[in-house]
Amino acid sequence: MTDTLDLTRLGGPVSPRTSLLRPLGPTEVRITGGFWREKQELNASAVIGHCLTWMERIGWIRNFDRAADGTVAELHEGIEFVDSEVYKLLEAMAWELGRAGDPELEATYRRLVDRVAAAQEPDGYLHTSFGRPGQRPRFSALEWGHELYCFGHLFQAAVARIRTGHDDTIVHVARRLADHVYAEFGPEGRDAVCGHPEIETALVELGRALQEPRYIELGRILVERRGRQRLKTTLFQGSEYFLDDVPVREANVLRGHAVRAMYLAAGAADVAAEFGDGELLDALRTQWDNTVARRTYLTGGIGSHHQNEEFGSDLELPADRAYAETCAAIGSVMFSWRLLLQTGEAKYADLIERTLLNAVLVSPREDGRAFYYANTLHQRVAGSAPAEDEISERAESSMRAPWFEVSCCPTNVARTLASVASYVATATDEGVQLHQFADAEISTTVATGAVNVRVETGGYPFAGSVSLAVESEGVVEIAVRIPDWAREARVRFGGRAVAVVDGYAPVRAQFASGDRIQVELGMEPRLTYPHPGIDALRGTVAVERGPLVLCAESTDLAGGADVARLRIAADVPLGVSPEGAVAAVRIADVQDASWPYGERPGISAEGTSSIPLIPYFQWANRGPSTMRVFLPLAD
């Protein structure tokens, strides 16, 4: 097996052949410290190993050994798509190895790849749940079998290995499997799609990485096949659930199963980019706009129905019933990133920041060994800590659980944290663009030569001072995103103020090594009011500080009082705490009644007092508690 690759193929998870902005790979952007370095180190030291340990313990990896020796039909551990979790772990390992390198992790990675490769069949097919004597036939359960979905995650694991400079076993496995899928589902194959989109974006990216147009074309074919209502439905899962109700280019909003919707949208965006399909891209932009405007939580989370893990109707965004699955948030980041690369519009980077810092980072516990699958914005009853050695139902854990029967979220978190540097910056012929604030080194080449920039955040997202130190010379443009929430931002270079244009502060200059761009983002806490059409939130307000959504947690209340009794005094200025804010509240005393309706009730409340509000992503790390993001307004 070879272990070298043409260096032109290096890069991050997404690398379109044509885009307005060029994504930068792990050799061009390196997170060096601060908040995101801490998260990546936690991923490396805890999350990845935790996922590996659990999948070894409960037999999900052993399925590949049994498939190789012919005994898997007698005993297959886990649901049909657990193969995908092994592949997402391999992807996380590959990005982590590309980020930091670790001989022990490299050896572990190669052993795991060898076990997967041993299960591949002579014609390239690779799945532990189908196709062998005693199992269901291949592709006999496209609605629910997740075969192509699993293949997609294997392809993305291979892309991570390619983009970090290798052409070894996992890449060869992926080539053989992709050739098999092309023969089975390509122009001369079966006219069908998978019930769970994912393979579409994976095929396009594998085709880009391997410079194989057949895979890209198959990604396009699978996107265009959606919307013909060919997948078999049930009483509770209709064509919309599968995103098979209307063609992708005819939809005007994302709907159905939230994770499926985001993965399909990401794949369609890849197809639009590769084929210069402006009509498809415009349709996707419209879907993004309408979904953000009417079907997205303050945290960036999506999906308000526990039933079917689906979007709700427009403005159906109840805080206490939010499903807001972690994987859906990660899918949202994937989709937004692709639209950012094609358009350069700051709103996509704004949503990426909101979603990463709130809807994604709320999932892992602070020690990296337990996770939320679904992410409520209002915990009414204090949760109970699950056993550290037991599997939980995926959305029923009232506190973070170590593992789930469907454990897609932990491995998705692992691959996202391992590759999060890819969202920091991009390049064009003219210069570089900073989209996310992280302590990082950016080193790339543009038309005018080498560009080296060191970003220092001084505590972001808890503090708002960001400095860009230019460590190269030459004429170049450096553009810094100014978040939409930062209304009082100030950007200075060479003693002068820099104007913000379309969400970015561009500085074009003849830079000398040592020049600095200084950014000051006002971090004062602010009140955020929900749209009046969100019935479940009427009469409430949330508090944000910088990019962080804050929440009240009973752990911080005197005597552990229930957050249900809080009423925020919106006329009293908010204070600042090291990581969050201080709000003035009154503790309401609502009398019980034999009938909960009638004349306007009088609510007595104790005098105003102050309570701390903490970042939403940090809640439920100090034991069982109640919590809410949106607080009722005091009369």
Side-chain angles (χ1 to χ4, degrees), residues 481-492:
R481 178 182 66 92
I482 303 303
D484 181 64
W485 55 261
R487 304 299 167 83
E488 305 298 324
R490 297 186 302 276
V491 183
R492 299 190 66 80

Side-chain angles (χ1 to χ4, degrees), residues 417-437:
L417 290 178
S419 60
V420 74
S422 65
Y423 300 116
V424 169
T426 57
T428 61
D429 287 344
E430 290 73 33
V432 299
Q433 304 79 41
L434 181 69
H435 303 291
Q436 304 300 331
F437 298 111

Side-chain angles (χ1 to χ4, degrees), residues 586-608:
R586 298 186 177 96
I587 306 298
D589 184 13
V590 182
Q591 298 297 318
D592 289 336
S594 59
W595 178 245
Y597 309 97
E599 297 180 1
R600 188 173 189 269
I603 300 176
S604 61
E606 300 172 11
T608 300

Side-chain angles (χ1 to χ4, degrees), residues 362-367 370-372 375-376 379 382-386 397-401 551-556 614-627:
V362 70
S363 176
R365 195 169 64 194
E366 62 185 3
D367 67 356
F371 306 84
Y372 273 133
N375 296 290
T376 186
Q379 182 73 28
S384 57
S397 175
S398 56
M399 293 185 67
R400 294 174 183 88
C551 68
E553 188 175 10
S554 59
T555 312
D556 293 312
I614 65 169
Y616 168 72
F617 78 82
Q618 291 180 344
W619 91 277
N621 275 295
R622 297 172 292 174
S625 63
T626 58
M627 176 278 298

Side-chain angles (χ1 to χ4, degrees), residues 16 18-23 281 285 288 335-350 352 425-428 432-435 477 479-482 500-506:
T18 303
S19 59
L20 181 66
L21 306 180
R22 176 173 64 84
L281 182 62
R285 294 176 68 183
W288 187 95
F335 182 31
S336 294
W337 179 243
R338 286 157 170 80
L339 294 182
L340 175 62
L341 294 178
Q342 294 303 314
T343 68
E345 294 182 22
K347 63 184 180 182
Y348 301 117
D350 284 340
I352 288 171
T426 57
T428 61
V432 299
Q433 304 79 41
L434 181 69
H435 303 291
E477 180 178 276
V480 183
R481 178 182 66 92
I482 303 303
V500 179
V501 181
D502 296 330
Y504 288 87

